[in-house]
Each structure stands twice: as structure tokens, then as C-alpha cells.
Amino acid sequence: MKGSTRSVSAVRALAPAVCLLVAACMPVTVSGSEDARPVFRIGIVFDGGGDSDLPHMLRLREQFLAGVQEETLALTRQEFDVRFPAEKQLSGAWTADGIQRALDRLLDDPEVDMVLAFGPLSTGVACRRTFLNKPVIAPFLIDLESQQAPFNGTASGMRNLNYITIPLSLKQQIERYREIVGFETVHFIFDGLISEIAPEVKERTLKLTEEAGSLGVAVPLSTAAGPALAALPRDVEAVFILPWPRLGPEETRELIRGINERKIPSLSWFG
């Protein structure tokens, strides 16, 4: 596994797709003068935010939002006055309750027309809702099957829920990875908060691994690489790294360096 910028590049690459979803979910209007354009406000839920965010998360958030705002305005400026009010950008504080409260607040806010879930945790929370009263864009779905997101044909099948996921399922990735490496056991390294906020993701991931013919072992990760590396046994056969939103660039390099030094076959969800 090489480099520590792929996760950043992967997130940036989502910006155009998010803009297209935003534009597609906006109501149809009759074009008029610029002064007559209706105002359309987009609220945002962040997994973390504020003092709980590390510098790399703040930079990534700023870069992603700048790209989304610029491209959304370019797509919609003829029909709408689209705004991303700072006071409608809420922190989930890296907790399930915090993300739920932030999402509830924006869904109940009459001055918010659409909600963007920024991060895999807030995306997972949004996808587990059974009712949404306004459009929600959830662009960080890890895996349809492991997160048990609603799905009907080529869409979510749920009114107002719009998410983005990669076409290759987690189970398919595991199967192909196993064909290449030939492991019997694979260790999954993933942010421990995913297990706390959405325990079904870990459970389903391990179940899918079993269905693919292997044993899966979960290794939690937080803001430092050391404990996760130390948790890998000496005879580890393969590592699969799932999203790690709290791990900064230096610790990401340390994680990669530790895996490479031990010559452990590795695969990252981000590529």
C-alpha cells in the first residue's frame, strides 16, 4: 500500500457527483431574472467538527466544501440562489447521539431545504432513517450490504434518501482479494467509532467474510497507528483497511510503513 493522500483524493473526487445529486434533487423552476431566483439553503452534518477535529480533517472538509459549493453554484445559478449557511453546518461531535441530534435539527429546520451528510458515520445514520422529510445527500456509504442501506434496483427506494457507494461490494472485494492473496484469515482495520456508532457494520463485515470463505478479525483504530499495528499477530496473513476518518496524515504514513515493513498484503477501501 502506497502513499497517504489517496483517502484525500477519493473524498475530493466525490465533489462532482455530490453536486450532480444536489442539482437533481432540487425542484423544477421556471427561469427568471437573477433577482427572482428562489433561495435554496443546504445544511451539513459533519461526523466530527469544531475542537474535536484534527487539522487534516479541517483542511479536507474545507477543500471538499469549496469544491461542492463552487460546482453546485455553477450548475444551479440560473435557477436558484443556492446558499450553504455557516450556522446550518453542524457537528456530530464523533458520537451517535451528536450526529442524530444534528440531523434532526436540520430536518426540522424550515430554513434548510436539503441536508448533506459529510462523512461515513453521518451517512450511515442517515441511511438507517425510515423517514426523511426533505432531500438528504449521503455520499460516504461504505457498503450497501454491510450497512444494510435501503436499495431498490438502481436507487435507494426511499423518498428523499440519496447516497453514493462504489459499485464493487465489500463481499466482492473480499472474494477477489482472497483469490489474489490466498488467505484464510483477514484482519480488518477500521475506525473504532464505526463499531460504536454502527455495530452492525462490523458484524456484517465479519459475516460477509465468512460467506466469502474466510475468517475476519476486527482491529479498531483511533487517532494513532501504534495500537492497531500492535494488535496484528505475528502470523497475520492479510489486512483490509476500511475508512479511517480520524487518522491524520502522519499516523496514516506510520500505519502504512508498519504494514509494509512486515510485508503484510494489504488492501484499502479507498484504493
Side-chain angles (χ1 to χ4, degrees), residues 14 17-19 21-22 25 42-45 47 64 99 103 114-129 132 134-144 147 149-150 156 158 160-166 269:
L14 282 174
V18 171
C19 297
L21 268 182
V22 169
C25 293
I42 300 176
I44 304 173
V45 178
D47 287 355
F64 178 81
I99 293 171
L103 184 57
M114 180 183 292
V115 179
L116 171 61
F118 184 85
L121 303 178
S122 53
T123 287
V125 169
C127 287
R128 287 194 297 276
R129 291 293 180 102
L132 296 170
K134 63 184 65 170
V136 173
I137 308 297
F140 294 94
L141 190 66
I142 298 172
D143 180 69
L144 274 173
Q147 291 184 272
S156 73
M158 178 177 164
N160 287 326
L161 176 61
N162 308 273
Y163 56 72
I164 297 174
T165 189
I166 59 175
W269 181 80

Side-chain angles (χ1 to χ4, degrees), residues 39-257:
V39 174
F40 194 89
R41 299 178 180 87
I42 300 176
I44 304 173
V45 178
F46 298 105
D47 287 355
D51 295 336
S52 63
D53 265 357
L54 297 171
H56 78 282
M57 287 297 299
L58 294 174
R59 289 194 298 271
L60 179 57
R61 186 176 77 186
E62 291 169 358
Q63 292 168 0
F64 178 81
L65 288 181
V68 169
Q69 291 178 23
E70 181 179 351
E71 296 196 37
T72 298
L73 294 178
L75 279 172
T76 63
R77 64 165 51 98
Q78 298 297 323
E79 291 82 24
F80 291 94
D81 177 7
V82 178
R83 301 176 185 179
F84 295 80
E87 66 274 15
K88 310 299 183 184
Q89 299 179 16
L90 307 182
S91 165
W94 297 114
T95 68
D97 287 344
I99 293 171
Q100 294 279 14
R101 286 194 300 270
L103 184 57
D104 284 337
R105 181 174 162 187
L106 293 178
L107 290 173
D108 292 339
D109 190 336
E111 294 185 347
V112 172
D113 301 293
M114 180 183 292
V115 179
L116 171 61
F118 184 85
L121 303 178
S122 53
T123 287
V125 169
C127 287
R128 287 194 297 276
R129 291 293 180 102
T130 57
F131 173 76
L132 296 170
N133 64 333
K134 63 184 65 170
V136 173
I137 308 297
F140 294 94
L141 190 66
I142 298 172
D143 180 69
L144 274 173
E145 193 169 358
S146 64
Q147 291 184 272
Q148 298 179 297
F151 179 67
N152 183 13
T154 58
S156 73
M158 178 177 164
R159 180 178 173 82
N160 287 326
L161 176 61
N162 308 273
Y163 56 72
I164 297 174
T165 189
I166 59 175
L168 191 64
S169 72
L170 183 59
K171 183 178 179 180
Q172 290 173 316
Q173 292 185 66
I174 295 168
E175 290 172 339
R176 294 189 183 182
Y177 189 23
R178 186 171 186 264
E179 288 175 4
I180 295 170
V181 177
F183 56 75
E184 294 300 323
T185 301
V186 57
H187 285 70
F188 289 92
I189 298 178
F190 63 96
D191 196 306
L193 275 178
I194 294 178
S195 181
E196 295 176 21
I197 293 177
E200 71 278 3
V201 173
K202 182 181 76 172
E203 295 165 5
R204 287 290 298 166
T205 298
L206 299 183
K207 179 64 175 176
L208 291 174
T209 306
E210 182 181 340
E211 293 174 2
S214 298
L215 174 67
V217 179
V219 178
L221 182 68
S222 58
T223 58
L229 289 170
L232 296 174
R234 297 182 66 178
D235 59 350
V236 58
E237 297 179 74
V239 166
F240 194 140
I241 306 176
L242 293 175
W244 60 95
R246 295 183 297 164
L247 199 65
E250 185 58 40
E251 288 299 320
T252 297
R253 286 190 286 271
E254 181 62 28
L255 178 66
I256 295 169
R257 184 163 48 246

